[in-house]
Amino acid sequence: MNVKTPSKLEKILKAGHLAVTSECGPPRGSDPEAIKKKAELIKDHVDGINITDNQTSVTRMCSLASCIHLRLMGLEPILQMVTRDRNRIALQSDILGAASFDIHNMLCLSGDHQSFGDCKQGQNVHDIDSMQLIQTVRYMRDEGKFLGGDDIKRPPNMFVGAAANPFADPFEIRVPRLAKKIAAGVEFIQTQCIYNLDKFEEWMRLARERGLTEKVFILAGMTPMKSAGMAKYMKNRVPGMDVPDELVKRLAGVPKEKQAQEGIDICVEAIQRLKEMEGVKGFHIMAIEWEEKVPEIVERTGLYPRPKI
Amino acid sequence: MIVADKKPIEEIVEEVKDCDNILILGCNECVTVCEAGGKKEVGILASALRMYFLNQGKDMKIDERTLERQCDQEYLDEIRDIADQYDAIVSLACGVGVQFTAEQYHSIPIYPGVNTCFLGATEERGLWTERCQACGQCVLARTGGICPVSRCAKRLLNGPCGGSSNGMCEISKELACGWQLIVNRLEALDKMDDYEKIFPIKDWSTDRAGGPRKVVREDVQI
């Protein structure tokens, strides 16, 4: 097993286990208990916990500080970092800050446009993009150098991830785009929430054909629907989301008070199917403000207990 | 061309309301083409201001003039003899023209009459869209002739992001995804292999980031 970093997630994946990650959104305030409580709910059922970075461009407690809280609890944080808000100085600096707390996983993202959030009039930075952020952190780790060429004393030691959205357009570049991220140095992928399983299967088939699933660990992104209303919202309002009509109908077809349970059932069924799909190396369960349901999903899909590494 | 849009008249009124004698100064270049600051718009603004101040019971002298260019000293010299008689000049040129006029006429306040918006083109009458952000290091050769810096809302050099949907950008269903356009062009040119070449981290020092810029061409200097 050729493990490159101290990341527990990397070890689990390279040992051949199906990995399970989940995520917590930081609070809109400075109370550390908010993030710790969420982590407590899921910590025994996952191998790593993503902390989102001002998701949907709404200002929150920073991802790095939240990751540090998790690290101090002895957990395995996955630092999400978007290129929207920081230039290359700040990105490299935050990577070092994370490394100083032995945060060993990072997810490189561009970030939602600021027009979705609470600072619509703000500038965005986009000094580099997510592809180049992957290259940056790999360069810092593997070469032990800053982008400017100077040596780093105690370089960061991150297992490097990125997102992939098989459902965004144009579809024909979605696999080439994955190939590009792999060429940039990405080691694991967490996908956009999967509802259209057929389309995901097609994307995976094309990825397998190019041998990409041998080069990167793909974690399938899962978000249980809380209601038919949420499904409709995701379908119509969230960019890059593919929610089939049948799924909306199925949720709408049960009484309102049972829709949440139906949403969990749908998620569990999807994971069962995806577990058999060649190339799927784990699951990233994004139960948005519904973290308490993660244990049930993990247990019902036979992914519990988590391996001890 | 430089595309500009009219400023609300209230804003202009606020700047000149204490003057007795002003000049509305148009420009015959870009702002004429985008119908924001040419001779026609100078006339319209001057009439509107006259009417406004007449209603307010104020007798304001408002003259009109349109120069060939305001970004050129030679043409700005044409008002050298008359400039002093005005309390203020409202320039309907782009931000470049406003500043160049101000540099030539130190003692007269120069107010902008338009908002300078972007470098763009006329798509149809009354519709102008952005094409360039003057980053100083053109990448169009590698992106099928479509600019990711000006046409992607996140100026991604390795796009598209996950928000591209049915050819449209995540920020608006009426805005084309720049990267969809790039992919369409690369396909048409049979250059999709180029898509997989990672675009390296860009040197933004030739962009705004590098501070106020200049181009020095010794070969054409006199």
Side-chain angles (χ1 to χ4, degrees):
Chain A
M1 188 167 57
N2 179 21
V3 175
K4 291 181 187 160
T5 75
S7 158
K8 180 176 145 195
L9 178 62
E10 182 186 10
K11 290 191 186 91
I12 284 175
L13 285 165
K14 289 191 173 164
H17 301 289
L18 280 174
V20 179
T21 57
S22 185
E23 72 181 33
C24 297
R28 300 208 70 205
S30 63
D31 182 5
E33 293 309 315
I35 199 79
K36 290 186 195 170
K37 264 185 213 156
K38 283 185 178 178
E40 281 290 346
L41 291 170
I42 60 176
K43 68 179 173 56
D44 297 329
H45 288 77
V46 300
D47 308 315
I49 300 172
N50 287 43
I51 301 288
T52 47
D53 182 2
N54 296 297
Q55 73 270 27
T56 63
S57 304
V58 173
T59 316
R60 293 168 182 277
M61 184 193 289
C62 74
S63 176
L64 175 53
S66 306
C67 282
I68 293 168
H69 287 301
L70 261 52
R71 195 76 193 111
L72 296 176
M73 291 167 75
L75 303 181
E76 176 89 355
I78 300 164
L79 174 72
Q80 292 196 187
M81 210 181 256
V82 302
T83 60
R84 177 192 61 223
D85 309 320
R86 302 173 189 83
N87 71 0
R88 63 191 79 176
I89 302 172
L91 290 165
Q92 293 180 93
S93 168
D94 281 358
I95 289 168
L96 291 184
S100 77
F101 281 94
D102 291 329
I103 290 165
H104 299 309
N105 309 283
M106 191 178 138
L107 195 77
C108 305
L109 306 165
S110 308
D112 297 313
H113 193 267
Q114 74 276 9
S115 59
F116 291 99
D118 64 339
C119 291
K120 296 181 194 330
Q121 298 187 345
Q123 278 278 10
N124 55 23
V125 179
H126 297 299
D127 179 18
I128 64 176
D129 63 21
S130 59
M131 200 77 69
Q132 296 161 343
L133 181 57
I134 295 167
Q135 288 182 315
T136 298
V137 64
R138 282 295 303 265
Y139 184 68
M140 291 172 76
R141 181 186 90 188
D142 299 341
E143 307 298 325
K145 286 182 188 298
F146 289 103
L147 288 176
D150 293 339
D151 290 337
I152 300 174
K153 288 176 189 151
R154 191 182 187 263
N157 213 347
M158 308 268 191
F159 187 44
V160 181
N165 185 357
F167 310 106
D169 292 316
F171 183 70
E172 64 268 30
I173 59 94
R174 290 294 149 186
V175 170
R177 186 161 169 74
L178 175 66
K180 212 169 160 178
K181 286 195 176 179
I182 293 168
V186 80
E187 295 164 308
F188 72 97
I189 290 286
Q190 292 172 324
T191 75
Q192 174 66 288
C193 317
I194 301 163
Y195 298 107
N196 185 341
L197 273 72
D198 294 338
K199 193 162 186 183
F200 179 71
E201 193 154 23
E202 174 65 4
W203 181 76
M204 283 296 287
R205 185 183 66 77
L206 294 167
R208 279 197 307 271
E209 267 178 24
R210 285 191 56 168
L212 301 180
T213 53
E214 302 300 313
K215 294 177 183 162
V216 71
F217 296 102
I218 296 175
L219 276 58
M222 312 305 301
T223 293
M225 297 284 196
K226 271 182 178 168
S227 64
M230 175 181 171
K232 279 179 204 153
Y233 179 84
M234 299 267 262
K235 182 181 176 67
N236 298 321
R237 295 289 183 83
V238 182
M241 198 71 76
D242 184 345
V243 183
D245 289 330
E246 306 85 74
L247 193 148
V248 180
K249 272 188 208 149
R250 181 171 161 187
L251 281 163
V254 300
K256 240 185 179 161
E257 65 278 9
K258 291 190 174 162
Q259 286 180 0
Q261 193 54 49
E262 193 72 10
I264 299 288
D265 291 349
I266 292 170
C267 182
V268 167
E269 289 164 27
I271 292 177
Q272 301 284 22
R273 177 171 157 191
L274 293 173
K275 272 173 83 177
E276 307 304 318
M277 196 178 287
E278 200 186 330
V280 172
K281 300 289 165 58
F283 295 91
H284 178 52
I285 304 168
M286 298 164 271
I288 304 160
E289 298 302 320
W290 211 17
E291 287 82 2
E292 67 272 22
K293 288 292 176 186
V294 171
E296 179 186 335
I297 295 168
V298 176
E299 286 174 20
R300 283 179 59 192
T301 48
L303 294 165
Y304 187 79
R306 300 307 311 145
K308 299 272 176 255
I309 296 267
Chain B
M1 68 177 153
I2 295 174
V3 176
D5 199 4
K6 295 179 185 177
K7 264 192 186 294
I9 190 161
E10 298 78 21
E11 218 177 293
I12 299 169
V13 165
E14 193 54 32
E15 303 298 350
V16 302
K17 63 178 193 274
D18 297 327
C19 302
D20 296 317
N21 189 8
I22 65 170
L23 174 67
I24 313 288
L25 190 64
C27 177
N28 207 20
E29 294 283 348
C30 313
V31 288
T32 296
V33 182
C34 66
E35 304 188 47
K39 192 174 178 187
K40 185 182 74 182
E41 292 74 31
V42 166
I44 293 168
L45 176 65
S47 301
L49 287 173
R50 281 184 205 110
M51 222 180 307
Y52 174 84
F53 287 111
L54 204 63
N55 278 337
Q56 301 290 309
K58 183 178 167 75
D59 180 23
M60 191 190 282
K61 182 168 177 287
I62 301 173
D63 286 345
E64 305 172 23
R65 184 81 181 255
T66 296
L67 301 179
E68 193 56 35
R69 275 199 288 282
Q70 288 188 35
C71 55
D72 201 321
Q73 284 181 18
E74 180 189 337
Y75 296 109
L76 278 170
D77 272 345
E78 291 175 10
I79 57 165
R80 179 84 44 209
D81 297 341
I82 57 165
D84 286 349
Q85 58 182 278
Y86 298 104
D87 300 326
I89 295 174
V90 176
S91 165
L92 298 196
C94 67
V96 179
V98 175
Q99 292 182 66
F100 223 54
T101 305
E103 285 169 29
Q104 298 302 312
Y105 299 100
H106 286 283
S107 56
I108 307 163
I110 315 288
Y111 298 116
V114 301
N115 290 318
T116 305
C117 301
F118 49 78
L119 303 180
T122 312
E123 279 202 26
E124 54 187 73
R125 184 85 194 270
L127 174 65
W128 295 273
T129 52
E130 184 167 15
R131 288 292 183 280
C132 178
Q133 290 197 352
C135 72
Q137 193 77 256
C138 193
V139 301
L140 287 169
R142 292 200 44 194
T143 54
I146 310 271
C147 173
V149 178
S150 59
R151 305 198 69 185
C152 166
K154 301 174 186 171
R155 64 176 189 187
L156 302 181
L157 294 169
N158 296 284
C161 73
S164 178
S165 182
N166 295 317
M168 295 296 160
C169 173
E170 71 175 22
I171 71 167
S172 164
K173 285 186 173 152
E174 283 160 23
L175 181 70
C177 165
W179 270 96
Q180 173 80 57
L181 300 174
I182 292 170
V183 168
N184 292 350
R185 277 282 289 171
L186 291 176
E187 276 175 346
L189 297 169
D190 199 18
K191 281 189 161 180
M192 272 307 282
D193 288 348
D194 281 4
Y195 174 78
E196 290 199 33
K197 292 177 189 157
I198 298 171
F199 207 106
I201 290 177
K202 188 166 164 66
D203 173 2
W204 292 110
S205 67
T206 57
D207 184 72
R208 180 208 61 81
R213 296 168 276 180
K214 61 175 151 185
V215 172
V216 181
R217 285 274 309 278
E218 287 178 3
D219 58 326
V220 294
Q221 282 177 340
I222 301 165

